[in-house]
Amino acid sequence: MIRTLATSGRVLQQIRHDPRTIALMLVVPSLLIGLMSWIFTDTRVFALIGPAMIALFPFIVMFLVTSIATLRERRSGTLERLLSLPLAKGEFILGYALAFTLIAILQTVIAVSFAVWVCGLEIQGSLWLLFSVAALDALLGTSLGLMASAFARTEFQVVQFMPLFIFPQFLLAGIILPRAQLPRPLEVFGDWLPLSHAIDALNAIANGTEDSATTASLLVIAAWIIAALIVGSLTLRRRTP
Amino acid sequence: MMNKSACVIVNGLSVKRSKMLVLEELSFALSPGRVIGLLGPSGSGKSTLLRSIVGSQIITHGTVTVLGSSAGDKALRHRVGYMTQAASVYDDLTVRQNIAYFARILGLSATEVDRVIALTDLDLQSRKLAIDLSGGQRNRVSLAIALLGTPDIVILDEPTVGLDPVLRSDLWRLFTELAATGMSLLVSSHVMDEAMRCDELLLLREGQLLAQLTPADLLARTRTENPEEAFLALVGGVGGATPNVARPSPKHRAAGKENQP
């Protein structure tokens, strides 16, 4: 536990030395949400896709940040050094997950506040639940990013993993076309993807129609997080060729 | 050669990496409390051997025993300090933050952080970001981390690369002082002059152990004046055929070109 917190603290310290990254992480989602709401002025579209955008940002940003940060650890030799010390792999991964989830919560608070109070997005349901889903999304991005970094050898590759891991989820989540209208195999596939569930949950919260399906969605996301964290920690090897 | 008090015992160690034999049937034992130099040209397998002793290398054959446990054993993670070849520090943290993080992972206090900072002469840089340091200073941060908690064995992969002669000499003095306290240091280098500062040498070439001997023996056996010439003589004389045996050979080959086995 102490080592997990030490790792989170170290990751946050690193980010603190990079004010531009902090500014980008905190401001860019609000900028994009603002742009969306401007594009769709006087239509119902923003009310429909606004909640989905809240799900997307923490997910994408945390995926990128985590995959690049862990790739850097692998390449700089710090990971090899850490794994020769009394640090459990789970402690390392949870340390990262914790640090980035904290940032994601901050990011979401800003993005949601901006969407609600500046862009006039209506949230009927619980704001707390909304933040929890966004935090869960961030954790999902972090855990998938950890996993992706294990399969990448270079920064170029890891950036290419973003379209691979994220675009299909985005396309099949029901933002572009409701999932029920997709060809049957794609609908079934989309129903299993975590981002679909995140967007379903956020839509339900926005409309104030949270029910047992929302809870089920959260459980599906949690299952994905746990699975990705386990795969991610399996890819950390104390012994390498 | 194999004695019970040895801190590192390597027995029949072979390492294959993508079908290439990087280390070939190495066997040796190291006594504690000494500065042991691991010398050889680039690509001779020094880093792989050091990683095998740390336990971060997948080995193909043989055994590596460190302080009575198998290399990489959980019990050794507090007892073996390791400085990797790349500086292995976080560029976006200060010197102090870097060292403090690894200290927390080892469960050590802030006074220990101060101690290693003073030991490696980094007091003036302690608030600087690692990315703003010179190469030599970064190396010393990495060394400070390896010395945290005074491990029984410290494994240093080319710690003096890129240092000016004064700093290099300071570091070797530090190594000697640390060995005098009972610490065992295994230091790799491809700079042969550094050999004279060691208590004992392991000479590696193309994955084979050419010799294990003291610096004085090296000069005597090769009848040369300095380690650079001695190594060239040794490489020329043995031709990579018989590991572990250093045959005296006449001084020849002025250029540093290596012959093929």
Side-chain angles (χ1 to χ4, degrees), chain A residues 158-173:
Chain A
V158 89
V159 173
Q160 297 305 317
F161 273 114
M162 194 194 82
L164 183 67
F165 274 71
I166 292 182
F167 275 25
Q169 295 202 53
F170 175 76
L171 294 174
L172 298 176

Side-chain angles (χ1 to χ4, degrees), chain A residues 3 14 73 80-81 239-240, chain B residues 51 71 90 92 105 142:
Chain A
R3 298 193 185 99
Q14 284 180 286
E73 291 247 17
E80 175 165 318
R81 169 169 248 163
R239 282 179 197 273
T240 51
Chain B
R51 294 182 69 238
Y90 297 102
D92 38 11
I105 295 298
S142 191

Side-chain angles (χ1 to χ4, degrees), chain A residues 136-157:
Chain A
L136 218 51
D137 263 355
L139 200 51
L140 178 70
T142 298
S143 43
L144 288 178
L146 277 167
M147 206 171 82
S149 79
F151 299 105
R153 289 283 161 272
T154 65
E155 283 82 354
F156 286 143
Q157 290 178 14

